[in-house]
């Protein structure tokens, strides 16, 4: 089998099965496991899969730049946003992550909401301008432009002074085996720091993130109260966490 044929086979298996187990595929098609692993390395280097122990998973489309992500799964993000906005009680203290889905949450909030919002995203903070009864506190640090959020040691330190009722967490991948993932190590650390300051953490996951994985783990499912998603498939059913259907 030529290299191009193997590449097409691997990509098709990722689409159809949602994962590749190198050992099993090698035995099935009569190719050495080393060859399969080498092909997966090449696909990962091209951004076409996420390698994991023993094989690979689909890569998340949410690792694209911020502007591009604003045009991905708009309807699904709005559905997730409406369901997530309903989790915010009047007079609650809420931590809002950055990202395009969280921005949709802000737009779904009633203008007469009374609440306190803490965020490390200048984009989220500015979007709350018209919510006159929402007090906004902004955590500063190094700006990670992919998600337009502050990260780094200063931001993590500032987060430790926050105590919130709810944290709405954005991730780039949600997978039963790989867990909750994102594409940057510093951003993952910041998300963990914020989650540890909230009584409940809910994951915002529109359908394009379900069944995919990125490089860095954020939290185990045991540390979140639920996943808010518009997806309804076998991957969602396999998640070991409560699911809030949007």
């Amino acid at each position: 089998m030529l290299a191009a044929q193997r590449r097409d086979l691997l990509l098709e298996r990722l689409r159809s099965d949602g994962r590749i187990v190198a050992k099993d595929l090698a035995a099935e098609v009569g190719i050495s496991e080393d060859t399969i692993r080498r092909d997966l390395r090449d696909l990962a280097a091209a951004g076409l899969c996420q390698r994991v122990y023993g094989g690979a998973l689909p890569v998340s489309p949410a690792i694209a730049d911020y502007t591009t992500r604003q045009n991905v799964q708009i309807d699904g993000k709005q559905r997730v946003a409406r369901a997530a906005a309903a989790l915010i009680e009047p007079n609650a203290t809420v931590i809002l992550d950055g990202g395009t889905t969280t921005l949709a949450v802000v737009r779904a909030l009633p203008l007469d909401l009374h609440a306190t919002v803490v965020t490390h995203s200048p984009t989220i903070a500015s979007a709350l301008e018209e919510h006159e009864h929402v007090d906004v506190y902004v955590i500063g640090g190094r700006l990670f432009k992919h998600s337009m959020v502050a990260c780094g040691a200063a931001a993590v330190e500032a987060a430790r002074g926050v105590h919130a009722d709810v944290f709405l967490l954005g991730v780039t991948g949600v997978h039963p085996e790989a867990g909750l993932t994102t594409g940057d190590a510093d951003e993952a650390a910041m998300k963990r720091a914020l989650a540890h300051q909230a009584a409940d953490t809910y994951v915002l996951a529109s359908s394009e993130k379900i069944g995919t994985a990125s490089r860095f783990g954020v939290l185990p499912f045991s540390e979140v109260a639920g996943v808010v998603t518009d997806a309804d498939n076998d991957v969602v059913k396999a998640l070991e966490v409560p699911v809030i259907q949007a």
Side-chain angles (χ1 to χ4, degrees):
M1 187 180 291
L2 299 175
Q5 293 174 307
R6 297 197 306 269
R7 172 190 168 108
D8 290 344
L9 172 64
L10 293 172
L11 291 175
E12 176 56 32
R13 287 301 175 91
L14 282 172
R15 284 190 292 268
S16 63
D17 298 348
R19 62 175 298 178
I20 289 172
V21 178
K23 181 179 180 181
D24 294 347
L25 184 59
E28 177 186 340
V29 299
I31 299 172
S32 74
E33 189 174 345
D34 285 343
T35 299
I36 296 292
R37 292 182 184 278
R38 183 171 62 251
D39 289 342
L40 290 177
R41 285 197 295 271
D42 292 342
L43 289 178
L48 297 175
C49 76
Q50 176 60 53
R51 294 181 67 212
V52 294
Y53 180 78
L57 298 173
V59 70
S60 172
I63 62 173
D65 63 83
Y66 190 87
T67 301
T68 299
R69 297 200 321 275
Q70 288 181 310
N71 298 310
V72 174
Q73 287 289 332
I74 296 174
D75 181 64
K77 288 178 181 178
Q78 290 174 341
R79 290 170 59 187
V80 169
R82 288 191 292 269
L87 297 170
I88 299 176
E89 300 284 346
N91 301 310
T93 297
V94 183
I95 302 173
L96 293 183
D97 204 347
T100 56
T101 307
T102 317
L103 184 59
V105 172
V106 171
R107 292 168 177 162
L109 294 175
L111 290 175
D112 61 351
L113 175 69
H114 288 69
T116 298
V117 169
V118 180
T119 183
H120 60 314
S121 169
T123 305
I124 298 301
S126 62
L128 287 161
E129 178 187 3
E130 295 182 0
H131 292 75
E132 60 178 318
H133 303 298
V134 174
D135 290 329
V136 182
Y137 293 85
V138 183
I139 294 174
R142 179 184 64 85
L143 184 65
F144 179 53
K145 294 181 181 179
H146 174 271
S147 299
M148 291 301 293
V149 293
C151 295
V156 170
E157 182 63 28
R160 293 188 178 127
V162 176
H163 298 282
D165 301 297
V166 175
F167 173 36
L168 298 184
L169 165 67
V171 296
T172 58
V174 179
H175 192 280
E177 297 175 21
L180 304 169
T181 56
T182 195
D184 181 81
D186 285 347
E187 189 182 21
M190 187 66 196
K191 291 175 186 293
R192 283 192 295 274
L194 292 170
H196 293 157
Q197 303 307 125
D200 291 309
T201 294
Y202 291 92
V203 181
L204 310 180
S206 46
S207 57
E208 80 278 7
K209 299 173 184 176
I210 298 295
T212 70
S214 296
R215 293 175 62 194
F216 299 99
V218 178
L219 289 170
F221 288 117
S222 60
E223 293 187 21
V224 301
V227 173
V228 186
T229 183
D230 61 316
D232 184 12
N233 52 35
D234 290 341
V235 176
V236 172
K237 295 180 175 108
L239 299 178
E240 296 181 354
V241 66
V243 174
I244 299 171
Q245 202 67 51

